[in-house]
Amino acid sequence: MEKLGKHGARLKDLRRRVKRRPEGQDIVDGRRLVADIVRWSVPVLELYLAEGVEPDPEIVAAAGEVYAVDTAVLDEVAPTKHPQGVLAVVADPRRPPWPAREGAAVWLDTVQDPGNLGAIVRSAAGLGARAVLLSPGCADPFHHAAVRGSAGAVFRLPVTRDVPVARVAERMSESGGEVWAAGPGGTPIDRWSPSNPTVLLLGAEGAGLSADARAVAAGEVTIPLDREIESLNVAVAAGILLERLRS
């Protein structure tokens, strides 16, 4: 294990990559999350450990390169406030795209908050969705806040970027499935019976779904709300609707 000086070229390069994620690489920190990623067979290209941290042997064995770093320096470099002395550079997952023949998928319309996007991916993975599809303009699903928000689920579920809604509608037409939009004034969720496969369209809070997205939907599904609450956080709505699809 090589000890890095705090002013060395490698740490300077790591700082740059934390601030601006290079294509094909993801920055992950936290002992539990890095251990999970190793367990899921995601390639670990580089591993950075704070001095004094006793690493899991499996994590060290899986890493291509291992470096020791001063604790204060690692805390300063890491993208989150509590890296727990462990930071890894891992490779983007390579997963086949959703074949769109069965099950449910979620399509997100310009959801720009990476934490919300990650939470939706986490719900989708936990509630049996087959994929998350992202419109152009969505947040980076491998931004550190999205990775944290997803509890690592972005490495376990196919997440496809830059998918136009017209392509979603075309695939559902080919497979005999349906496209449904989440929105106000539609079919109440307790009377919603979509076909299989189904793609659920969700828009960002405030802006909602674009006119193009609403135009391709077979209909809208609504979560009735009480106490004059107008809407739910998009990640919360996604979880409720996905649970209905699963049941």
Side-chain angles (χ1 to χ4, degrees):
M1 184 188 305
E2 180 182 348
K3 171 68 187 303
L4 298 180
K6 62 181 179 179
H7 300 300
R10 179 165 289 279
L11 273 178
K12 182 179 179 180
D13 178 61
L14 179 62
R15 286 186 177 93
R16 177 186 59 79
R17 286 184 286 164
V18 169
K19 291 180 180 178
R20 188 176 182 86
R21 185 180 73 85
E23 190 66 30
Q25 294 184 4
D26 310 313
I27 310 297
V28 179
D29 61 7
R31 182 187 290 269
R32 170 67 181 275
L33 187 52
V34 173
D36 284 343
I37 283 172
V38 168
R39 186 161 50 84
W40 301 330
S41 301
V42 178
V44 177
L45 307 177
E46 303 162 29
L47 179 66
Y48 297 84
L49 300 170
E51 290 183 307
V53 168
E54 286 295 330
D56 297 333
E58 295 83 2
I59 296 176
V60 174
E65 302 171 9
V66 184
Y67 302 98
V69 185
D70 180 82
T71 300
V73 172
L74 188 64
D75 286 346
E76 176 260 321
V77 171
T80 65
K81 292 182 179 179
H82 304 290
Q84 300 170 322
V86 180
L87 183 148
V89 179
V90 305
D92 270 358
R94 302 298 180 193
R95 294 189 177 279
W98 182 49
R101 290 190 293 270
E102 61 180 3
V106 176
W107 180 83
L108 304 182
D109 192 355
T110 56
V111 173
Q112 297 177 336
D113 183 292
N116 270 342
L117 191 150
I120 292 168
V121 174
R122 182 178 185 174
S123 292
L127 294 171
R130 300 300 180 88
V132 174
L133 315 173
L134 308 179
S135 77
C138 276
D140 178 2
F142 296 102
H143 183 280
H144 64 84
V147 172
R148 277 277 179 176
S150 77
V154 291
F155 295 100
R156 308 199 73 189
L157 185 73
V159 179
T160 306
R161 288 174 270 191
D162 297 324
V163 181
V165 74
R167 179 57 178 154
V168 173
E170 180 183 315
R171 294 293 301 278
M172 285 297 95
S173 177
E174 293 169 353
S175 64
E178 291 181 343
V179 177
W180 282 82
T187 302
I189 187 173
D190 60 349
R191 299 207 302 267
W192 182 41
S193 299
S195 67
N196 183 15
T198 293
V199 175
L200 176 64
L201 310 182
L202 290 162
E205 292 176 60
L209 286 168
S210 66
D212 287 345
R214 291 195 302 271
V216 304
E220 286 194 354
V221 57
T222 297
I223 302 169
L225 301 174
D226 294 333
R227 297 180 177 85
E228 299 183 5
I229 300 299
E230 294 183 359
S231 64
L232 297 175
N233 171 277
V234 64
V236 173
I240 293 170
L241 292 166
L242 285 166
E243 171 58 25
R244 174 66 179 180
L245 279 171
R246 183 169 71 162
S247 62

